[in-house]
Amino acid sequence: MTDFTMKTDADGVAILTWDVAGKSMNVMSLAGFALLSDLVDQALADTAVKGILITSGKRDFAGGMDLNVIAQMQAGGAQVIFNGVMQMHHVLRKIERAGMDPKTKKGGKPIAACLPGTALGIGLELPLACHRIFAADNPKAKIGLPEIMVGIFPGAGGTTRLTRKLGAMMAAPFLLEGKLSSPQAAKAAGLVDEITAPEDLLASAKAWVLSAKDADLIKPWDDKGYKMPGGAPYHPAGFMTFVGANAMIMGKTQGVFPAARALMAAVYEGALVPFDAALKIEARQFTSVLMNPSSTAMIRSLFINKEALDKGANRPDAPDQSVKKLGVLGAGMMGAGIAYVAANAGIEVVLIDNTQEAADKGRAHSEALLDKGMKRGKVTAEKKSDVLARITATTDYAALNGVDLIVEAVFEDPKVKAEVTKKAEGSAPGAIFATNTSTLPITALSQASVRPEDFIGIHFFSPVDKMNLVEIIKGAKTGPRAIVKALDFVRQIRKTPIVVNDARFFYANRCIIPYINEGIRMVAEGVAPALVENAAKLVGMPLGPLQLVDETSIDLGVKIAKATKAAMGTDYPDEAVDHVLFWMADQGRLGRKANAGFYSYSDKGERLDLWEGLAPKYPLDKLQPSLSDVQNRLLFAQALEAVRALEEGVLTDIREGDVGAILGWGFAPWSGGPFSWLDILGADHAVQICRGLVAQFGHRFEAPALLREMAEKGDSFYGRFSGDNRAA
Ligand code: NAD
């Protein structure tokens, strides 16, 4: 174990270097923590050591706690977690007190943290326990506490220390939103104490250590008369902060994220008691969050499995096939977005449309996004011109010569798609051809191709620059070369891929459509639209189904309904939905783009209230359903479809099903995704709920055979489909 090494220099400064072998970024393990503790003990006991620097042997300081370790701690149960966390507090408190006399607070050894680059999670909590934090002026570095993003919160003293250092109000964006800052911004916010040129980092810290006085080592919260910046909860200003913060969090999270609630409790309760008691409260709240199945599921989906997919968990073993030159057909909303993300990742792009004007408009989309980035200080003029220089907008298919991947995003019309497929393949022999269709089967579209083994679906979500999921769809004849190309492309543009088989609506849309339809069906039944929308949000969906269909447009819904009905014939189950949907379209209420849909909109396009005109047409039933009935209908409509997709082999990996659902359409992230949600419920309980739903609302809620079998055997999805047993 050599995660940390220590050397004492001629001036008596011990340099403790964090450098985890075999990893590009330091992460903290339990053994690493124990070693750190031993080395600090040694340095404090060694009379030759005057002070300590804690730094990194890598470009960055640390990426955080090894979340696999957290998973192990969770397996041990609450007491094991609590003891482990208190042990960490003990070590960090030892660093903070640095051997000083507890009464006189004299005689401690100064300890400075030196951050050469990124410092996240425990990578900032450890420095916060040191006496002074030096950060190199490294524009690539990110500093912060992102734990909340994966369903936990800073539990190694970061919550308590940052609140006491900055005050609850100023600490809120870092703790509650996981805001990450550049070193300069971190200095301005008070997260770090000093910024130095990268080459002066250790020298500056050393100079400070050698000149520090006893008083420099006393943390404000260990000093007499400490008052929390901005006021503790019973101070008038503090009172305002805490009341406001609580309301804001409940507004943003609807109370469904246990970590946000526990964090607030740790901050509030911690602020009322002395520092060491506050650490204990933090540890209790942290334990409660780790014991909540939501945090296990969120860490698994949003961190461990997302990372595995990003790294190509389901990529066939083959040499790198990164894209050098990309052709994009159709410079509309999607094509323009795809051109932008590719050019931004350093790929040459040929963007083709029917007219030069349309192609130029597509390129101008990149310019507008880059300008926005410049205004926010995130994009330099040089970067803007580099990215734009990579995009050639043209009508000339001959320009596709030399591209190795083509993504087609023309109109959703099989004839138009067939025509451009032929033209493009003629101009780019050897290129992989991908379609961004959202509804048309890949196998059918590939019939237009002379090389169906090189034909694949790469389905982006709108807006392309913001949405991180990409669904890769294999047609019946798609070969491994096309899959590898698509996966390597998605990795280049830093999005998360899932790979699914060809079937109506693939995976994501297949689950989103029943969600929207269930919401609309309830409107037809006389359920209050506000109840439908609020029930969705209160169970963690980012958009209610009615808002979602307004965003994606009601005429698109009509188009999809007509096509589905044509394909399914008498089996078509959604007449009741169409009643409402078609009527809305007839009223010209096409959704946000028409400034009129299930919601009303101001002239400026701001969403206002639910549209009052619905009530005369679909009067409210006197007897309204319970909140949980509405929520069960909305979540089961999606989750059962996900199970069917697995059962039918459209999905081949539940990790993709869960990560895809959260990134693709925001399926209640607190749950870790539909499969994790069903595991939290338990298959048996889920099947029972389905029985009740079938009795009340119809056969669409019939539990799939797989789920029923799992209920009988007492299986869970993650128990049954992990390791080598991923496929159903
Ligand atoms: P769009 O109407 O905004 O853009 C289509 C573009 O294709 C237009 O600029 C049009 O001029 C161009 N075009 C049409 N025929 C052409 C041809 N023969 N040669 C070259 N260019 C041609 O549509 P969009 O929303 O960008 O959708 C494009 C594709 O992406 C569709 O297949 C759609 O189903 C799919 N998709 C859309 C979304 C979405 O949210 N809009 C999401 C995922 C996938």
Side-chain angles (χ1 to χ4, degrees):
M1 158 60 77
T2 54
D3 285 9
F4 288 89
T5 50
M6 186 166 72
K7 264 198 188 134
T8 303
D9 72 10
D11 299 313
V13 175
I15 302 172
L16 241 154
T17 305
W18 191 358
D19 197 351
V20 179
K23 297 216 170 193
S24 56
M25 178 79 98
N26 288 324
V27 287
M28 187 68 93
S29 64
L30 293 180
F33 223 94
L35 179 58
L36 170 69
S37 174
D38 286 349
L39 293 175
V40 169
D41 282 341
Q42 275 177 37
L44 292 179
D46 185 344
T47 47
V49 171
K50 295 192 184 113
I52 304 169
L53 304 185
I54 302 181
T55 187
S56 160
K58 304 190 191 291
R59 245 181 332 180
D60 293 306
F61 187 65
M65 199 73 192
D66 182 343
L67 288 180
N68 291 305
V69 171
I70 290 187
Q72 278 164 23
M73 279 167 74
Q74 282 172 317
Q79 194 64 50
V80 169
I81 299 172
F82 182 76
N83 292 348
V85 174
M86 285 309 292
Q87 180 56 27
M88 278 189 230
H89 283 327
H90 174 73
V91 174
L92 293 177
R93 200 67 177 125
K94 178 170 67 189
I95 290 174
E96 193 157 54
R97 308 305 290 259
M100 66 178 70
D101 182 292
K103 286 219 174 88
T104 63
K105 302 198 175 103
K106 292 196 168 143
K109 294 186 182 179
I111 305 182
C114 306
L115 318 180
T118 289
L120 302 176
I122 187 77
L124 180 59
E125 291 181 292
L126 164 60
L128 283 170
C130 298
H131 304 119
R132 201 143 184 92
I133 308 175
F134 292 78
D137 191 5
N138 169 353
K140 288 198 175 146
K142 297 249 174 295
I143 297 177
L145 300 166
E147 285 86 342
I148 198 82
M149 308 302 283
V150 291
I152 53 175
F153 69 86
T159 296
T160 302
R161 286 196 175 83
L162 201 67
T163 308
R164 275 169 157 73
K165 190 171 161 111
L166 305 183
M169 175 90 101
M170 302 310 276
F174 303 106
L175 296 174
L176 278 168
E177 294 165 19
K179 180 178 169 188
L180 305 183
S181 309
S182 66
Q184 293 286 357
K187 164 87 168 75
L191 283 183
V192 304
D193 303 306
E194 310 252 5
I195 297 281
T196 72
E199 61 278 12
D200 297 338
L201 181 66
L202 289 187
S204 305
K206 183 174 159 179
W208 181 85
V209 158
L210 289 174
S211 64
K213 311 260 178 318
D214 283 332
D216 295 330
L217 312 193
I218 305 171
K219 287 293 175 69
W221 43 90
D222 284 329
D223 213 354
K224 257 191 246 139
Y226 165 75
K227 287 208 168 50
M228 183 178 280
Y234 291 142
H235 180 278
F239 180 77
M240 300 292 284
T241 305
F242 278 94
V243 170
N246 258 321
M248 188 193 86
I249 292 159
M250 289 307 276
K252 276 195 174 169
T253 66
Q254 312 286 337
V256 290
F257 291 90
R261 292 178 84 136
L263 168 65
M264 268 318 280
V267 170
Y268 179 87
E269 292 166 24
L272 297 170
V273 294
F275 186 80
D276 287 301
L279 286 180
K280 211 169 193 178
I281 289 173
E282 188 192 291
R284 290 219 170 96
Q285 291 292 349
F286 190 67
T287 304
S288 84
V289 165
L290 286 196
M291 287 304 292
N292 191 309
S294 162
S295 74
T296 314
M298 281 181 81
I299 291 173
R300 186 175 59 207
S301 290
L302 290 173
F303 187 81
I304 298 172
N305 290 343
K306 179 181 174 299
E307 198 174 274
L309 298 179
D310 289 346
K311 286 190 176 157
N314 291 327
R315 182 185 183 278
D317 191 16
D320 177 54
Q321 286 223 30
S322 296
V323 176
K324 293 187 185 61
K325 193 170 171 190
L326 174 76
V328 179
L329 310 182
M333 188 166 90
M334 298 305 288
I338 296 164
Y340 168 73
V341 294
N344 212 21
I347 302 170
E348 292 292 321
V349 180
V350 178
L351 179 60
I352 292 188
D353 207 299
N354 272 333
T355 62
Q356 187 61 43
E357 196 189 349
D360 288 341
K361 193 169 159 223
R363 186 173 180 273
H365 173 71
S366 288
E367 190 162 7
L369 288 176
L370 290 161
D371 282 341
K372 226 188 210 173
M374 278 178 74
K375 265 195 201 137
R376 291 202 192 128
K378 300 214 155 142
V379 174
T380 60
E382 193 189 354
K383 161 119 192 193
K384 177 184 161 184
S385 73
D386 284 354
V387 173
L388 285 177
R390 285 188 205 114
I391 305 177
T392 307
T394 177
T395 58
D396 183 7
Y397 279 70
L400 292 175
N401 187 16
V403 303
D404 47 330
L405 174 69
I406 295 167
V407 178
E408 167 278 302
V410 300
F411 296 140
E412 188 75 339
D413 176 338
K415 276 195 213 120
V416 182
K417 290 199 186 286
E419 188 192 314
V420 300
T421 305
K422 289 198 177 94
K423 261 166 102 174
E425 280 185 347
S427 305
I432 298 294
F433 191 98
T435 172
N436 180 47
T437 180
S438 34
T439 58
L440 302 169
I442 305 303
T443 307
L445 289 180
S446 75
Q447 283 165 7
S449 166
V450 285
R451 290 178 281 113
E453 69 281 7
D454 288 345
F455 193 100
I456 195 163
I458 302 187
H459 180 212
F460 284 85
F461 294 78
S462 173
V464 178
D465 58 304
K466 295 225 170 72
M467 297 294 287
N468 280 329
L469 184 73
V470 179
E471 200 172 11
I472 294 172
I473 306 119
K474 294 187 275 186
K477 293 191 177 157
T478 303
R481 201 172 80 93
I483 300 168
V484 171
K485 191 81 186 175
L487 282 167
D488 288 357
F489 174 53
V490 173
R491 178 156 41 169
Q492 272 175 292
I493 57 175
R494 293 177 178 214
K495 296 200 182 279
T496 299
I498 61 172
V499 182
V500 303
N501 284 308
D502 197 13
R504 175 170 291 277
F505 305 133
F506 321 129
Y507 172 59
N509 284 340
R510 173 180 181 153
C511 299
I512 300 167
I513 293 169
Y515 170 61
I516 291 177
N517 282 354
E518 201 58 33
I520 297 178
R521 196 187 301 269
M522 285 193 249
V523 171
E525 290 169 12
V527 178
L531 174 55
V532 173
E533 294 292 88
N534 286 330
K537 289 204 181 147
L538 284 169
V539 79
M541 295 299 296
L543 304 185
L546 306 178
Q547 188 186 344
L548 186 55
V549 70
D550 265 12
E551 296 292 337
T552 53
S553 96
I554 284 168
D555 49 330
L556 178 66
V558 168
K559 215 171 140 192
I560 291 175
K562 284 184 176 162
T564 311
K565 192 171 174 179
M568 293 184 74
T570 48
D571 288 343
Y572 184 66
D574 292 325
E575 298 287 355
V577 176
D578 293 354
H579 199 273
V580 183
L581 202 61
F582 288 29
W583 179 76
M584 290 288 286
D586 289 345
Q587 309 301 304
R589 299 195 72 88
L590 302 183
R592 174 182 281 287
K593 68 177 182 189
N595 250 8
F598 283 101
Y599 283 83
S600 300
Y601 296 84
S602 73
D603 295 343
K604 286 187 199 143
E606 290 158 309
R607 194 166 47 84
L608 305 172
D609 291 334
L610 280 152
W611 180 46
E612 286 173 355
L614 263 180
K617 177 78 181 167
Y618 297 101
L620 298 193
D621 204 355
K622 274 208 192 96
L623 203 64
Q624 290 291 311
S626 69
L627 184 70
S628 66
D629 269 357
V630 176
Q631 290 177 329
N632 276 337
R633 286 178 72 171
L634 292 174
L635 286 193
F636 273 101
Q638 305 168 67
L640 295 183
E641 209 50 56
V643 177
R644 285 183 207 112
L646 178 69
E647 218 174 22
E648 292 166 17
V650 173
L651 270 180
T652 54
D653 184 338
I654 54 169
R655 296 178 299 178
E656 294 182 312
D658 272 352
V659 175
I662 298 177
L663 299 188
W665 73 95
F667 183 94
W670 63 266
S671 71
F675 296 102
S676 293
W677 180 64
L678 290 170
D679 275 358
I680 291 172
L681 285 182
D684 192 32
H685 184 43
V687 167
Q688 274 177 35
I689 297 174
C690 287
R691 275 198 203 110
L693 293 174
V694 170
Q696 275 187 287
F697 307 110
H699 289 288
R700 65 188 176 284
F701 290 109
E702 206 83 65
L706 171 64
L707 192 61
R708 276 180 292 153
E709 189 204 313
M710 287 173 51
E712 273 161 30
K713 292 189 176 157
D715 278 354
S716 68
F717 284 100
Y718 279 87
R720 180 166 170 149
F721 300 111
S722 53
D724 293 334
N725 279 332
R726 299 216 185 268

